[in-house]
């Protein structure tokens, strides 16, 4: 289960947004110090424990989309686990249900303990739960009761109140009293109902939300929340939701369940954003389950739209229709923008599947077309959609861009259109340009580029971008900094403009150097890119400004990090120009670094020369020793050859080949039998002591002898030994 129980962990923050906490492997062991079964998630990256959550018997857990488990901790802090595999999710879900004594087939565990356990736990405080009956004369008492329960520190009291409200029709009866108070103009009763309904929402229970946000009840809940006692007059929220907030169907939705879910989600979001007061420090987690309720509704809406075979296809048919007017296309894009925004709630596998569907339907060619429209709202919506798409899958957008470049006939590339829109943004606040800049930043950022054995996206796309797109991207920089324009501008305007661009270029160069990549350093040195930096620094003179500080920081970083290639280049190329600057020690420090490195290199060369000399000398000595040893061995072999063998050394058949002469007559002559090849064969027997060590050597050796001028007069069949002793070799 190790691979199947890999999860991503999310936490609900104070802004009611889901924060990604990390990825790891989940288990559900019994933890001794907590004396309970717990959910443990160990991080993939650091192997640290990023989640240790006790499975409380009264904590509600909810399973969604087969791979998602959501719950709230005891203090009301929302948590979510996104499983890589449905089987792993099922395993953990069964463990949770086993601890709580629930059937694993349920999608939401019960909010409370079993009734018997529940009453045992609250016997001592039974009188606290004497909830007043739902009558018009008891509204003040009900208000006081709910408010007092919310102030109690133990969650068990809130659980008990939620159980009472969930069972029976208490909430529906309260909403009936709302109509009575409103019909009678009972302002005091309406103020109490406002506090009661707000308090029930703060109980933060999904089971209660299901009742309050049903079609039957939700508008009455909105009505109760109109009567805030802090307001002199009630707000007309029901009027807005029913008369002014129009539900526009750009393409007819035939699924009634989907339509109901969309209406409910919009109204609940309105309650959360508009009607509920800003929570205090002590209430900031009270609505975490409400946020989760909205979140899961959005997930369900996107899923249902995605699974509808006709809906998205029809939307794209209309988006590709070039004859529709701007109003209709604007509505289509607004819908699609909202749809993409909702899709951010999906888990990665579902999000990837949705994006593949959109790509197949042609979302990027459509956006390329609408980006050329003059309508600012249309272009803005298209930009927002692009931002959502690049956050989801930048790789698929890069793939589309490179394929488009191969198939394009007119050369009008999508990415160049984006650059043009960014450069030509007419908004004084540059809102569109900033959005497009973020899109391009995500697109060319190397860290989110894939690298596989068969494909290196970084090298392929960056090569494409810098070959086909960079010239359009930086054309305005060259235009505004051209010598002709700068000379024509007034001095103050040109100086102000160029100072801004100089700092931007300097920041860019600082970023390159900060990578500590020798390939970048090589291009910097080869292109002599420090020359304009030094010139700008010297031109700035004695002014103490951002440019001065930025340049000094750049050189100081190189000195502190001791980037040797750049230190050497700067000192050798520019030190004579910069050595007079003494109000900082940066440049002298660079020279010290340079000199120290130079001394070390010289010492290394001396040591290397000495080592090489020693190695060469030792090698020569070893060669001489080997030659001398070989000569000694040859001489010893010659001596062995001329020594008469002992009678017992050779068997009888070999005696005829070697006859010992009188050593007094001819000590240095031996008779060698000739072989058929004209060589002489010498047989020798190894000593007994070396038999084992030289068993692999042959007992005979054949030595070829060249004709010697002194032997010419010797008859070929004469057995007289040659006058000179032959040199033998093995």
């Amino acid at each position: 289960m190790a691979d199947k129980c890999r999860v991503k962990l999310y936490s609900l923050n104070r802004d009611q947004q889901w924060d990604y906490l990390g990825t790891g492997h989940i288990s559900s062991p019994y933890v001794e110090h907590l004396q309970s079964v717990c959910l443990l998630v160990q991080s993939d990256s650091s192997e640290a424990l990023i989640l240790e959550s006790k499975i409380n018997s009264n904590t509600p857990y909810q399973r969604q989309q087969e791979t998602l488990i959501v719950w709230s901790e005891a203090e009301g802090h929302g948590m979510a686990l996104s499983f890589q595999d449905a089987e792993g999710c099922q395993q953990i879900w069964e463990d949770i249900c086993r601890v709580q004594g629930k059937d694993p087939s349920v999608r939401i565990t019960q909010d409370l303990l079993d009734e018997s356990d529940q009453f045992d736990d609250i016997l001592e405080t039974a009188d606290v739960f004497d909830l007043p009956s739902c009558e018009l004369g008891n509204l003040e008492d009900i208000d006081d009761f709910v408010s007092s329960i919310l102030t109690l520190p133990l969650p068990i009291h809130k659980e008990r109140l939620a159980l009472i409200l969930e069972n029976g029709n208490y909430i529906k009866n309260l909403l009936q009293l709302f109509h009575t108070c409103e019909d009678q103009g009972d302002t005091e009763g309406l103020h109490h109902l406002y506090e009661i309904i707000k308090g029930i929402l703060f109980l933060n229970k999904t089971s209660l939300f299901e009742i309050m946000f049903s079609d039957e009840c939700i508008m009455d809940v909105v009505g109760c929340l109109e009567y805030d006692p802090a307001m002199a007059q009630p707000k007309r929220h029901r009027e807005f939701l029913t008369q002014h907030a129009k539900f526009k169907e750009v393409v007819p939705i035939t699924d009634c369940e989907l339509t109901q879910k969309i209406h409910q989600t919009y109204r609940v979001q309105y309650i959360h954003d508009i009607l509920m007061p800003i929570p205090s420090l002590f209430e900031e987690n009270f609505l975490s389950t409400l946020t989760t309720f909205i979140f899961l509704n959005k997930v369900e809406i996107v899923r249902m739209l995605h699974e509808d075979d006709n809906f998205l296809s029809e939307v794209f048919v209309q988006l590709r229709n070039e004859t529709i007017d701007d109003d209709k296309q604007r509505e289509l894009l607004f819908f699609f923008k909202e749809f993409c925004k909702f899709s951010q709630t999906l888990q990665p596998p579902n999000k990837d599947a949705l994006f593949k569907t959109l790509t197949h339907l042609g979302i990027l060619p459509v956006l390329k077309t609408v980006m050329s429209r003059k309508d600012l709202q249309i272009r803005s919506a298209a930009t927002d959609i692009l931002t959502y798409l690049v956050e989801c899958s930048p790789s698929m957008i890069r793939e589309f861009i490179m394929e488009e470049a191969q198939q394009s006939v007119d050369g009008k590339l999508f990415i160049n259109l984006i650059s043009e829109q960014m450069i030509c943004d007419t908004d004084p606040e540059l809102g569109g340009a900033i959005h497009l800049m973020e899109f391009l930043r995500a697109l060319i950022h190397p860290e989110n580029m894939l690298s596989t054995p068969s494909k290196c996206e970084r090298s392929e796309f960056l090569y494409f971008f810098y070959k086909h797109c960079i010239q359009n991207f930086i054309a305005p920089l060259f235009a505004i900094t051209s010598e002709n324009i700068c000379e024509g501008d007034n001095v103050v305007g040109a100086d102000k403009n160029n100072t801004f661009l100089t700092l931007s270029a300097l920041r860019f160069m600082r970023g390159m150097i900060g990578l500590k990549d020798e390939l970048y350093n090589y291009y910097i040195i080869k292109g002599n890119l420090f020359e304009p930096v030094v010139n700008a620094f010297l031109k700035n003179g004695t002014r103490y400004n951002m440019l001065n500080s930025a340049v000094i920081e750049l050189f100081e970083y190189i000195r502190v990090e001791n980037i040797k290639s750049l230190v050497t280049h700067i000192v050798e190329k520019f030190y004579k120009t910069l050595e007079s600057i003494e109000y900082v020690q940066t440049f002298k420090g660079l020279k010290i670094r340079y000199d120290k490195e130079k001394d070390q290199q010289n010492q290394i060369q001396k040591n290397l020369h000495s080592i090489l000399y020693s190695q060469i000398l030792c090698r020569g000595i070893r060669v001489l020793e080997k030659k001398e040893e070989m000569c000694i061995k040859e001489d010893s072999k010659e001596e062995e050859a001329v020594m008469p063998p002992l009678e017992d050394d050779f068997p009888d058949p070999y005696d005829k080949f070697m006859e010992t002469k009188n050593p007094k007559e001819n000590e240095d002559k031996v008779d060698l039998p000739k072989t058929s090849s004209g060589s002489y064969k010498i047989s020798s027997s190894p000593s007994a002591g070396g038999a084992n060590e030289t068993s692999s050597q042959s007992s005979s050796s054949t030595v070829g002898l060249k004709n010697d001028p002194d032997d010419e007069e010797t008859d070929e069949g004469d057995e007289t030994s040659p006058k000179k002793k032959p040199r033998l070799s093995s």
Side-chain angles (χ1 to χ4, degrees), residues 17-238:
Q17 300 296 324
W18 289 98
D19 290 336
Y20 170 68
L21 300 183
T23 300
H25 288 81
I26 189 171
S27 59
S28 53
Y30 181 84
V31 177
E32 188 66 32
H33 71 274
L34 294 177
Q35 297 184 350
S36 175
V37 177
C38 297
L39 298 177
L40 304 181
V41 178
Q42 189 174 26
S43 173
D44 279 350
S45 57
S46 64
E47 297 186 356
L49 202 61
I50 58 177
L51 175 67
E52 184 180 57
S53 176
K54 179 179 177 180
I55 301 178
N56 293 308
S57 55
N58 61 344
T59 297
Y61 291 83
Q62 186 170 9
R63 185 177 179 187
Q64 291 287 333
Q65 295 184 311
E66 304 302 324
T67 57
L68 184 67
I69 295 177
V70 181
W71 76 99
S72 294
E73 296 288 354
E75 66 274 10
H77 184 62
M79 302 294 292
L81 290 169
S82 173
F83 288 75
Q84 181 175 323
D85 188 274
E87 187 176 350
C89 184
Q90 177 65 23
Q91 177 68 42
I92 297 299
W93 182 250
E94 290 176 359
D95 292 343
I96 294 172
C97 292
R98 188 178 302 113
V99 172
Q100 295 196 338
K102 307 302 177 185
D103 185 351
S105 64
V106 301
R107 308 298 294 183
I108 303 175
T109 64
Q110 296 297 322
D111 289 348
L112 297 176
L113 299 169
D114 293 337
E115 274 302 303
S116 59
D117 297 334
Q118 179 70 19
F119 284 115
D120 290 340
D121 290 338
I122 61 172
L123 278 176
E124 297 180 358
T125 57
D127 57 328
V128 177
F129 289 93
D130 188 12
L131 181 63
S133 60
C134 188
E135 298 176 2
L136 193 61
N138 292 336
L139 287 178
E140 182 176 0
D141 294 335
I142 299 172
D143 183 1
D144 293 338
F145 179 84
V146 173
S147 300
S148 64
I149 292 297
L150 290 174
T151 60
L152 293 176
L154 295 178
I156 193 67
H157 302 105
K158 301 179 183 65
E159 300 285 357
R160 178 59 177 162
L161 176 58
L163 179 64
I164 295 173
L165 294 172
E166 180 183 348
N167 295 329
N169 294 319
Y170 200 94
I171 293 177
K172 292 182 180 179
N173 291 335
L174 281 173
L175 297 178
Q176 287 297 326
L177 293 180
F178 164 72
H179 287 288
T180 302
C181 290
E182 196 169 43
D183 292 341
Q184 296 178 358
D186 185 355
T187 304
E188 183 179 357
L190 292 171
H191 287 168
H192 287 308
L193 283 167
Y194 169 87
E195 297 291 349
I196 294 169
I197 294 299
K198 185 186 72 169
I200 295 175
L201 289 173
F202 277 143
L203 287 174
N204 213 24
K205 295 298 174 184
T206 303
S207 57
L208 299 180
F209 293 158
E210 294 289 349
I211 299 172
M212 300 174 75
F213 300 149
S214 64
D215 288 345
E216 180 184 356
C217 299
I218 189 168
M219 294 308 295
D220 290 337
V221 169
V222 172
C224 291
L225 295 175
E226 291 180 353
Y227 291 93
D228 185 351
M231 296 290 192
Q233 295 294 330
K235 299 292 184 180
R236 299 180 180 276
H237 297 295
R238 285 172 292 175

Side-chain angles (χ1 to χ4, degrees), residues 236-249:
R236 299 180 180 276
H237 297 295
R238 285 172 292 175
E239 180 180 334
F240 172 81
L241 289 174
T242 56
Q243 299 181 21
H244 300 288
K246 299 296 183 181
F247 176 61
K248 296 180 180 179
E249 294 181 89

Side-chain angles (χ1 to χ4, degrees), residues 87 375 459 623:
E87 187 176 350
D375 189 285
S459 60
V623 170

Side-chain angles (χ1 to χ4, degrees), residues 149-413:
I149 292 297
L150 290 174
T151 60
L152 293 176
L154 295 178
I156 193 67
H157 302 105
K158 301 179 183 65
E159 300 285 357
R160 178 59 177 162
L161 176 58
L163 179 64
I164 295 173
L165 294 172
E166 180 183 348
N167 295 329
N169 294 319
Y170 200 94
I171 293 177
K172 292 182 180 179
N173 291 335
L174 281 173
L175 297 178
Q176 287 297 326
L177 293 180
F178 164 72
H179 287 288
T180 302
C181 290
E182 196 169 43
D183 292 341
Q184 296 178 358
D186 185 355
T187 304
E188 183 179 357
L190 292 171
H191 287 168
H192 287 308
L193 283 167
Y194 169 87
E195 297 291 349
I196 294 169
I197 294 299
K198 185 186 72 169
I200 295 175
L201 289 173
F202 277 143
L203 287 174
N204 213 24
K205 295 298 174 184
T206 303
S207 57
L208 299 180
F209 293 158
E210 294 289 349
I211 299 172
M212 300 174 75
F213 300 149
S214 64
D215 288 345
E216 180 184 356
C217 299
I218 189 168
M219 294 308 295
D220 290 337
V221 169
V222 172
C224 291
L225 295 175
E226 291 180 353
Y227 291 93
D228 185 351
M231 296 290 192
Q233 295 294 330
K235 299 292 184 180
R236 299 180 180 276
H237 297 295
R238 285 172 292 175
E239 180 180 334
F240 172 81
L241 289 174
T242 56
Q243 299 181 21
H244 300 288
K246 299 296 183 181
F247 176 61
K248 296 180 180 179
E249 294 181 89
V250 292
V251 173
I253 299 176
T254 58
D255 190 334
C256 296
E257 182 183 356
L258 174 58
T259 303
Q260 186 274 336
K261 185 72 68 174
I262 293 173
H263 286 304
Q264 184 191 58
T265 304
Y266 177 81
R267 291 166 179 171
V268 175
Q269 186 78 61
Y270 185 87
I271 291 173
H272 179 276
D273 295 343
I274 306 299
L275 300 184
M276 295 304 294
I278 299 175
S280 67
L281 179 63
F282 303 101
E283 300 173 334
E284 58 184 10
N285 291 321
F286 277 12
L287 295 178
S288 60
T289 304
L290 180 58
T291 304
T292 303
F293 184 92
I294 298 170
F295 170 84
L296 295 175
N297 264 21
K298 292 179 178 179
V299 168
E300 190 66 13
I301 291 170
V302 174
R303 183 192 65 79
M304 296 173 74
L305 288 174
H306 186 200
E307 292 177 356
D308 191 320
D309 295 332
N310 299 320
F311 183 81
L312 288 179
S313 299
E314 182 61 29
V315 170
F316 275 90
V317 168
Q318 295 195 32
L319 279 173
R320 285 192 292 266
N321 185 358
E322 298 181 359
T323 62
I324 63 173
D325 56 27
D326 287 352
D327 292 338
K328 180 64 175 177
Q329 191 167 61
R330 191 183 305 111
E331 289 181 3
L332 286 166
L333 286 173
F334 283 171
F335 158 78
F336 208 82
K337 172 185 172 180
E338 193 73 9
F339 177 74
C340 290
K341 184 178 180 180
F342 276 27
S343 71
Q344 302 303 299
T345 61
L346 296 177
Q347 300 306 304
N350 299 324
K351 190 183 295 185
D352 292 342
L354 175 61
F355 187 80
K356 288 179 181 178
T357 301
L358 298 180
T359 303
H360 178 72
L361 291 172
I363 180 61
L364 293 173
V366 166
L367 291 178
K368 178 183 178 181
T369 301
V370 300
M371 285 290 289
S372 302
R373 290 290 189 107
K374 295 181 179 180
D375 189 285
L376 183 60
Q377 288 183 317
I378 290 178
R379 295 208 309 267
S380 177
T383 300
D384 290 336
I385 295 170
L386 272 178
T387 303
Y388 290 130
L389 297 181
V390 77
E391 289 176 359
C392 176
S393 180
S395 295
M396 298 186 78
I397 293 182
R398 295 186 193 106
E399 185 176 351
F400 165 78
I401 288 173
M402 289 190 288
E403 289 178 355
E404 180 201 33
Q406 296 176 354
Q407 301 170 2
S408 176
V409 178
D410 56 6
K412 295 180 179 179
L413 303 182

Side-chain angles (χ1 to χ4, degrees), residues 504-523:
S504 299
L506 194 60
R507 183 169 60 249
F508 177 73
M509 188 173 183
R510 174 64 173 81
M512 285 195 298
I513 293 174
L515 295 175
K516 297 182 183 178
D517 188 327
E518 281 301 313
L519 182 61
Y520 283 112
N521 296 342
Y522 167 78
Y523 281 110

